[in-house]
């Protein structure tokens, strides 16, 4: 008999996978912080992030302080994400390619950094052979 899920289950497989990925990223960040920083450095980071002294972080273990720093980083990232309008992530969208251009016969076709070919000028003012200013 297949296993039945409660109505209060965590959600879809995608949601569970996303939660697992966040947990893995958190553990990697925790390992990085504890490996690269001393307890005193982590305390300074936690205080700079808003940890208050009445919580007695001086008595905490190094990994507990690192966990508090990660919580502060996640809250700051969530605030920054909430302030910006939602846009699709750059990794989700394929890279934009310039459109294929069919050049005019009189276009020099040289495209240089920050510039454009003369097709734009030909379209706006006509071909050089028909202009007085060329």
């Amino acid at each position: 008999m297949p296993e039945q899920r409660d109505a209060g289950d965590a959600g879809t497989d995608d949601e569970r996978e996303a939660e697992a990925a966040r947990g893995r990223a958190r553990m990697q960040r925790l390992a990085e912080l504890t490996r690269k920083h001393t307890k005193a450095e982590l305390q300074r980071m936690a205080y700079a992030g808003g940890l208050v002294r009445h919580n007695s972080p001086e008595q905490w273990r190094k990994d507990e302080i690192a966990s508090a720093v990660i919580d502060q980083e996640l809250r700051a990232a969530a605030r920054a994400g909430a302030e910006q309008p939602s846009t699709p992530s750059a990794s989700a969208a394929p890279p934009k390619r310039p459109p294929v251009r069919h050049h005019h016969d009189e276009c020099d076709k040289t495209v240089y950094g920050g510039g454009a070919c003369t097709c734009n000028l030909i379209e706006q003012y006509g071909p050089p052979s028909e202009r007085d200013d060329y």
Side-chain angles (χ1 to χ4, degrees):
M1 179 187 251
E3 180 182 336
Q4 293 182 350
R5 293 187 176 163
D6 290 332
D9 224 3
T12 66
D13 289 338
D14 291 338
E15 291 169 344
R16 283 192 295 276
E17 182 58 37
E19 183 66 28
R22 285 190 293 272
R24 287 189 298 271
R26 182 181 174 84
M27 292 308 295
Q28 287 174 345
R29 180 70 176 141
L30 182 67
E32 176 187 353
L33 285 173
T34 54
R35 185 178 63 248
K36 291 184 176 181
H37 299 283
T38 65
K39 182 178 177 180
E41 290 172 336
L42 289 170
Q43 283 179 342
R44 282 192 293 274
M45 291 168 66
Y47 288 140
L51 186 69
V52 291
R53 293 187 185 274
H54 72 267
N55 291 335
S56 302
E58 293 81 17
Q59 298 174 1
W60 293 2
R61 293 187 324 261
K62 185 177 179 181
D63 62 325
E64 291 173 324
I65 299 169
S67 181
V69 170
I70 294 169
D71 290 340
Q72 292 168 347
E73 291 173 349
L74 292 174
R75 280 193 297 271
R79 279 193 304 270
E83 292 172 358
Q84 295 178 353
S86 63
T87 57
S89 67
S91 62
K96 297 203 179 219
R97 296 182 184 184
V100 176
R101 183 84 189 232
H102 299 288
H103 293 276
H104 295 83
D105 292 336
E106 296 183 43
C107 178
D108 62 9
K109 298 178 186 164
T110 303
V111 179
Y112 51 92
C117 69
T118 55
C119 282
N120 294 335
L121 296 173
I122 292 171
E123 289 170 5
Q124 187 172 5
Y125 301 110
S129 61
E130 295 177 6
R131 293 196 320 248
D132 294 337
D133 63 342
Y134 199 78

